[in-house]
Every structure is written in structure tokens, then in C-alpha cells.
């Protein structure tokens, strides 16, 4: 399940579809806008004004016709989050809303689904895998959301267009590793990316 089909969800969806993941859930309630296209590479100018779920479906079906796609053109709420999350094996969080991040984390903890969470701001990004039995959840790192307006979103604070592409690709990497059962996941580790210095650091 990919929640958010913007800068992070775009490359994640493309790479997961191209890799042959048999089923993808796509959840987003927004529409394609021209001012987002520098980072939301799943969409193009033909989709302006269309629901992101419709635009994404068209692109991904063209890439992999054998793909089974579920689209959710809805807002994630306390009433629907657990039911949607429970139907998938792994969840990718590509949102820029703290409300949705905490809601998605809680649903993944309760439904025992791993959560590949990424965030970006200006020239920096973070990535980890949360909500697994052997690791922390998002609330372990951030016990409470910041006050409203304290942290600007991408539209307010800006973001280097390629940065969500980088983090979204890393999210797809973690998802594929988890599905296939290879490598060492980011459970219990936080990867921090500084694009200006081109520096990758991790902390436990």
C-alpha cells in the first residue's frame, strides 16, 4: 500500500510496478497540479486536474499490464485506516501531513504491518522502517506531533525536486527487500540524507 502519490510515492510506485510486485494499493485524495510536476514524476501535464489515483493507474498499467491495482481516492481517517492497511503486506508512507503519519503508524502497529516511512524538507530527508515486532514505531522516535504550523510542508518550505525521488526510490528498495526477504532492513535505524553535502548518515 502506497499512501500519498506525490514526490515520494511517485518513484516508489514506478519501481515497485516495474519490479513485478503483483498488487499495489494506491491511496491519495488529491489532484495532479502543474506546480508539483518537478517532483511528482508519476504524473504529467495530461493529468492536470485529474485525481492522482486515476493518473497513477493509467501510468502504472502502461508500465506493467499484469499489475493488480487498487485505488483509494479517499482521505485516510480513524474510521478507515485499519481496514485499508490490514489488506496489504507492507505500507509505504509518502505523505507530508503529520496527522496522517501518526494515523498510519498507529494503524500499522495495530494491524502488525511494517511501515516504510520517509520525509523530506528542502535539502534533507529521513527514512526508516517502523512498526515491526523487533523494532520501534514512528511514535518511539517522535512521541507527539509538532504544534500546527511549526514545520512547513513541501509547498510552504520548498524541496529540491530530486530529493523525494531519491528517498522514494529508497522506500521501494526497502519494500522489495522486505517482500523478497533479503538484506538488512532499516528496522531500528534512521537514515538521514543531506543532499547539499551529499552525505548519508544513520543513527540507531
Amino acid at each position: 500500500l502506497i499512501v500519498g502519490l506525490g514526490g515520494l510515492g511517485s518513484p516508489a510506485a514506478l519501481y515497485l510496478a516495474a519490479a513485478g510486485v503483483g498488487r499495489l494499493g494506491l491511496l491519495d485524495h488529491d489532484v495532479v497540479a502543474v506546480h508539483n510536476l518537478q517532483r511528482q514524476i508519476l504524473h504529467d501535464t495530461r493529468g492536470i486536474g485529474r485525481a492522482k489515483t486515476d493518473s497513477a493507474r493509467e501510468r502504472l498499467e502502461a508500465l506493467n499490464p499484469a499489475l493488480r491495482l487498487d485505488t483509494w481516492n479517499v482521505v485516510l481517517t480513524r474510521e478507515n485506516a485499519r481496514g485499508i492497511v490490514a489488506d496489504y503486506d507492507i505500507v509505504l508512507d509518502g505523505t507530508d501531513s503529520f496527522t496522517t503519519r501518526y494515523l498510519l503508524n498507529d494503524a500499522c502497529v495495530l494491524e502488525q504491518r511494517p511501515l516504510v516511512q520517509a520525509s523530506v524538507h528542502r535539502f534533507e530527508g529521513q527514512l526508516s522502517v517502523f512498526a515491526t515486532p523487533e523494532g520501534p514505531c514512528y511514535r518511539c522516535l517522535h512521541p507527539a506531533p509538532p504544534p500546527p504550523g511549526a514545520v512547513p510542508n513541501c509547498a510552504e518550505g520548498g524541496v529540491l525536486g530530486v530529493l523525494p525521488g531519491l528517498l522514494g526510490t529508497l522506500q521501494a528498495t526497502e519494500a522489495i527487500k522486505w517482500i523478497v526477504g533479503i538484506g538488512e532492513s532499516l528496522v531500528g535505524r534512521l537514515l538521514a540524507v543531506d543532499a547539499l553535502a551529499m552525505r548519508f548518515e544513520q543513527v540507531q
Side-chain angles (χ1 to χ4, degrees):
L1 174 67
I2 301 173
V3 181
L5 300 173
L8 293 164
S10 285
L14 286 166
Y15 277 112
L16 290 175
V21 172
R23 180 187 178 205
L24 282 178
L26 308 172
L27 190 151
D28 199 308
H29 68 279
D30 206 355
V31 298
V32 179
V34 67
H35 62 274
N36 293 329
L37 293 181
Q38 91 283 7
R39 67 182 185 277
Q40 298 183 5
I41 60 170
L42 184 59
H43 316 286
D44 57 39
T45 53
R46 294 171 297 179
I48 293 171
R50 294 179 63 195
K52 286 184 180 178
T53 50
D54 293 340
S55 171
R57 172 181 286 279
E58 187 175 292
R59 178 77 181 278
L60 296 176
E61 285 180 340
L63 178 62
N64 181 355
L67 185 66
R68 176 183 168 189
L69 283 172
D70 310 322
T71 53
W72 301 87
N73 188 15
V74 298
V75 176
L76 202 69
T77 66
R78 290 175 59 185
E79 289 71 32
N80 66 19
R82 288 188 67 178
I84 294 173
V85 163
D87 209 23
Y88 298 91
D89 297 309
I90 188 167
V91 179
L92 281 68
D93 178 7
T95 67
D96 63 357
S97 158
F98 282 102
T99 300
T100 307
R101 284 181 195 164
Y102 282 86
L103 179 60
L104 198 53
N105 172 79
D106 295 349
C108 286
V109 169
L110 292 169
E111 296 300 328
Q112 300 181 345
R113 297 294 189 268
L115 173 65
V116 186
Q117 203 281 329
S119 59
V120 293
H121 176 64
R122 302 195 69 193
F123 304 102
E124 299 178 345
Q126 294 183 346
L127 174 75
S128 190
V129 178
F130 295 112
T132 67
E134 62 275 13
C137 76
Y138 186 74
R139 286 185 184 271
C140 299
L141 182 64
H142 302 289
V151 180
N153 61 27
C154 287
E156 298 163 343
V159 64
L160 179 66
V162 297
L163 183 63
L166 175 61
L167 271 294
T169 301
L170 291 173
Q171 282 184 285
T173 305
E174 286 297 300
I176 291 169
K177 284 162 50 184
W178 188 274
I179 292 166
V180 178
I182 58 172
E184 182 182 354
S185 81
L186 279 172
V187 172
R189 294 182 293 146
L190 180 73
L191 180 68
V193 178
D194 181 342
L196 279 185
M198 197 48 74
R199 182 174 295 120
F200 291 69
E201 299 177 342
Q202 62 174 335
V203 294
Q204 297 295 319

